[in-house]
Amino acid sequence: MTVLVSHMLNPHGTTPHQARFLQELAFQERRVHWTWSWGGLEVLPFLSRVRHHRTVLAPARWRPNATLRGDSAAAGRAARALVSVCAPVQGARGPVPGWWAGHSPGTDADAYPEGHLNLGLAHGAPGILAFLALAWRQGCRVDGQ
């Protein structure tokens, strides 16, 4: 809580425009805004996005600790499973990537009768590639990667 005393030179809204201009002029080379701080929560492995209306104050961040990064057996199993999804499969007209979706992306099934490639990060191939690239970078390498 910040207690403000209302007076003519209070910089929080009641200052005359000329006085506020002179005060802001003194700070023109300085960074006067505050950045978002998680405080003691910075140690958590996941920090969610913080928004105020349309302004993002802090982006979402994954910060896995050594325990979460250190399970190389689980990462290896996940990498092998994702590499197997990348193997071509037989589609209606021939081979298609393993992540091919055999349904329409929307409600108009006639527009995509043979399915579609989902190229979104959350559900499509870029998410698979992102995981495999991060796993490679962390030293987790499997055949076919």
Side-chain angles (χ1 to χ4, degrees):
M1 177 190 308
T2 304
V3 178
L4 299 175
V5 178
S6 183
H7 56 79
M8 179 108 174
L9 297 178
N10 183 345
H12 299 285
T14 58
T15 307
H17 296 300
Q18 298 85 349
R20 197 166 56 237
F21 171 74
L22 291 173
Q23 182 183 29
E24 290 174 4
L25 196 59
F27 289 104
Q28 73 176 0
E29 297 296 320
R30 293 189 206 157
R31 207 174 189 191
V32 294
H33 66 277
W34 296 277
T35 57
W36 179 262
S37 172
W38 284 98
L41 298 177
E42 283 284 339
V43 298
L44 293 176
F46 176 72
L47 301 174
S48 63
R49 182 174 69 168
V50 178
R51 265 185 17 176
H52 179 69
H53 299 289
R54 293 176 52 190
T55 303
V56 176
L57 300 175
R61 290 185 301 174
W62 274 102
R63 299 168 38 100
N65 58 26
T67 305
L68 293 174
R69 287 191 315 263
D71 190 356
S72 59
R77 287 192 302 272
R80 279 190 290 284
L82 291 174
V83 165
S84 71
V85 169
C86 295
V89 296
Q90 190 61 34
R93 295 188 190 190
V96 294
W99 60 83
W100 182 265
H103 58 82
S104 174
T107 56
D108 186 11
D110 295 333
Y112 301 91
E114 297 170 13
H116 72 286
L117 272 178
N118 187 334
L119 298 177
L121 183 62
H123 302 282
I128 295 170
L129 295 174
F131 175 85
L132 291 173
L134 290 171
W136 183 277
R137 200 168 160 191
Q138 294 291 325
C140 176
R141 299 183 177 148
V142 297
D143 290 337
Q145 191 175 2

